[in-house]
Amino acid sequence: MKMNIRCVLIGCAAMLAPLAMSAQQKKKIPRQQLGDTALVTLVQQRTFGYFWKFAHPVSGLAPERTTTPDTVTIGGSGFGVMAILVGIERKFITRDEGLDRMLKIVNFLLKADHYHGIWPHWMHGATGKTVPFSRRDDGGDLVESAFMWQGLLCVRQYFDRDVPKERELRDKIGWMWSEAEWSWYTQGGQDVLYWHWSPNQGWAMNHAVRGYNECLIAYVLAASSPTYPVSPRVYHQGWAVSNYFLNGRQYYGITLPLGFPYGGPLFFAHYSFLGLDPRGLKDQYADYWEQNKAHTLINRQYCIDNPKQFKGYGPDCWGLTASDNHEFYNAHSPTNDLGVITPTAALSSFPYTPEYSMQAMRYFYDKLGDRLWGEYGFYDAFNETVNWFDYQYLAIDQGPIVVMIENYRSGLLWRLFMSCPEVKTGLRRLGFSSPAL
């Protein structure tokens, strides 16, 4: 079975600009000498700026990356709406400013292309028309839409005041949520979810969503739907049945309950858990806090071990996940190591490894400095061995930094998502237990 990875290289080819630029082209941002708490806040604020300042002016959604300002991404924008809530809480913006932006986004999504209530991976930021991710991927993308729904349900829970604009926002999110046909994506009632459907291609992609990877949230939401839910059998016979679901082996003395050898790219521990609170979350397969913490520690320990002897790797410089690299784009992991460190890997792991994530943040900011730090925080990735530093930002990598740091600091998004009555119902339906239930 192939890994279910958001950016399988076929789709990114059309979107990637050349990954090289001179030092003169890179906008230098002055850096202050800061204590740890102030630095964490600054990183959140700068990274939040990608979703606030760089958002598409018509839709309010997040561009896929800084070189594609007119192509917006549904999954990355889902992370972005969660980042906007962080921006309000941290007083980077006001509640009214955040509310107005969310109404712009939701009003746009109401009219944008959708396929049985599920949005495409990419769309044009001004028109809402589908931008194909690949030749056959020109319809609904269930996983990217799950990332958006994770965010929109948090937004619905956050804006809870009995005032006209907040009621309007809640109502519109509720209408779209009730119209998302999760059960359609079982391809005629099979016991598994399918990633894609297109009115032009039908089920030609034929990509069953099986675990373990970043897609758990899709099954939780599919079971939580108030109108088009899937049965628990789809979760147990679809998601939990693959060659790479159960693991149970040890790496560096750390037991990994689920997933690929060494855990795979670290975004598996982030994307589904921006809203889904892993603390005490358990089902018959795993304790998801232990899963994510083990995955993170294994990823870091591999970088310390550094079997390929890449420059820079160590206790302060770690984190392998999907990102740009000096060649193109790849899903970096201990079993696919190209010497590329991606800041979102360690920084989005703050809830699991706060001390080690802080060490990495200090290294990125203090040691690598202007080579890695820009207008929207840390650039996407770097490779010290070949002296390559990216100059781009990717929505899908920026969002988890803001959100997971906030979950570490206050638990904000975890609290909001887990307060959804439908989510509680869905988790119970699938056999989960959690303190939030």
Side-chain angles (χ1 to χ4, degrees):
M1 185 195 79
K2 292 183 178 179
M3 294 171 78
N4 286 340
I5 291 174
R6 165 199 173 265
C7 220
V8 244
L9 307 180
I10 50 167
C12 287
M15 304 301 295
L16 278 170
L19 299 181
M21 73 186 312
S22 68
Q24 290 74 27
Q25 288 174 287
K26 221 168 191 177
K27 184 176 179 180
K28 290 194 175 182
I29 304 296
R31 289 180 303 113
Q32 308 161 267
Q33 296 298 316
L34 299 169
D36 287 356
T37 301
L39 178 58
V40 168
T41 300
L42 179 64
V43 168
Q44 281 188 294
Q45 186 170 15
R46 291 278 190 194
T47 311
F48 157 79
Y50 183 91
F51 302 98
W52 189 252
K53 297 177 183 178
F54 191 62
H56 192 279
V58 176
S59 65
L61 296 171
E64 168 73 6
R65 55 173 65 233
T66 36
T67 56
T68 61
D70 292 324
T71 297
V72 296
T73 173
I74 286 296
S77 294
F79 300 166
V81 301
M82 302 171 93
I84 289 171
L85 301 182
V86 176
I88 297 169
E89 286 294 292
R90 291 286 158 190
K91 303 190 185 309
F92 305 152
I93 56 172
T94 67
R95 185 182 181 97
D96 285 344
E97 287 172 327
L99 175 59
D100 287 344
R101 176 65 61 85
M102 284 311 312
L103 279 168
K104 174 189 277 194
I105 289 170
V106 166
N107 285 331
F108 184 85
L109 290 173
L110 274 165
K111 299 176 182 177
D113 281 354
H114 60 89
Y115 306 89
H116 292 271
I118 298 298
W119 295 289
H121 189 129
W122 286 330
M123 61 176 63
H124 193 279
T127 67
K129 296 300 180 185
T130 300
V131 175
F133 189 68
S134 68
R135 291 180 67 181
R136 289 186 170 181
D137 187 357
D138 62 352
D141 186 310
L142 192 72
V143 175
E144 293 290 305
S145 295
F147 297 151
M148 175 58 80
W149 278 118
Q150 184 177 211
L152 288 177
L153 290 176
C154 289
V155 169
R156 186 194 69 181
Q157 298 302 102
Y158 184 84
F159 288 103
D160 59 355
R161 295 178 182 174
D162 190 19
V163 296
K165 285 173 73 172
E166 295 200 14
R167 285 199 303 271
E168 178 189 354
L169 179 62
R170 292 195 301 272
D171 287 346
K172 288 178 174 177
I173 291 172
W175 298 338
M176 291 191 294
W177 170 231
S178 68
E179 291 173 355
E181 297 181 36
W182 299 88
S183 54
W184 172 266
Y185 284 79
T186 59
Q187 195 177 144
Q190 296 186 40
D191 288 331
V192 67
L193 290 172
Y194 283 84
W195 200 305
H196 315 91
W197 179 81
S198 157
N200 302 312
Q201 307 291 337
W203 301 104
M205 294 287 288
N206 204 38
H207 192 168
V209 183
R210 300 187 188 276
Y212 182 77
N213 46 56
E214 77 275 28
C215 304
L216 174 62
I217 191 67
Y219 278 87
V220 170
L221 290 168
S224 302
S225 169
T227 42
Y228 297 96
V230 301
S231 73
R233 183 176 174 84
V234 174
Y235 178 71
H236 296 294
Q237 297 300 316
W239 170 252
V241 176
S242 80
N243 295 332
Y244 297 102
F245 189 73
L246 297 177
N247 187 310
R249 295 185 290 276
Q250 287 197 347
Y251 307 90
Y252 305 109
I254 303 163
T255 301
L256 184 69
L258 304 176
F260 289 84
Y262 295 86
L266 206 44
F267 71 87
F268 291 1
H270 305 146
Y271 291 0
S272 284
F273 300 98
L274 300 187
L276 186 62
D277 187 351
R279 296 174 299 180
L281 183 70
K282 302 175 185 178
D283 67 2
Q284 68 188 69
Y285 307 111
D287 176 320
Y288 290 89
W289 180 262
E290 294 303 320
Q291 166 69 25
N292 293 340
K293 186 171 182 179
H295 185 182
T296 307
L297 290 171
I298 290 165
N299 194 287
R300 177 178 181 267
Q301 193 59 46
Y302 170 86
C303 292
I304 295 171
D305 189 41
N306 193 13
K308 295 187 176 181
Q309 297 299 298
F310 287 121
K311 182 179 178 181
Y313 279 33
D316 298 337
C317 184
W318 58 277
L320 308 180
T321 194
S323 71
D324 286 348
N325 62 39
H326 51 291
E327 297 173 341
F328 182 51
Y329 184 102
N330 214 314
H332 310 107
S333 72
T335 58
N336 185 37
D337 182 15
L338 304 178
V340 176
I341 297 294
T342 306
T344 191
L347 302 185
S348 301
S349 297
F350 248 97
Y352 313 127
T353 54
E355 179 182 352
Y356 299 151
S357 294
M358 192 71 234
Q359 285 178 278
M361 182 182 286
R362 294 247 61 126
Y363 182 87
F364 300 152
Y365 187 80
D366 296 337
K367 303 298 184 184
L368 299 181
D370 293 338
R371 291 178 291 172
L372 192 61
W373 180 255
E375 184 174 5
Y376 303 125
F378 297 113
Y379 293 108
D380 194 55
F382 63 93
N383 183 331
E384 290 193 74
T385 303
V386 298
N387 196 30
W388 171 83
F389 287 78
D390 203 355
Y391 68 96
Q392 297 192 57
Y393 296 98
L394 278 68
I396 207 84
D397 290 342
Q398 293 294 98
I401 294 173
V402 183
V403 173
M404 289 300 267
I405 288 177
E406 191 58 37
N407 279 332
Y408 163 67
R409 298 181 85 176
S410 72
L412 174 67
L413 286 313
W414 286 342
R415 186 167 62 252
L416 290 170
F417 186 76
M418 299 299 281
S419 73
C420 295
E422 306 97 316
V423 170
K424 293 176 186 288
T425 297
L427 288 170
R428 291 191 185 104
R429 186 177 286 157
L430 296 182
F432 281 89
S433 61
S434 163
L437 301 180

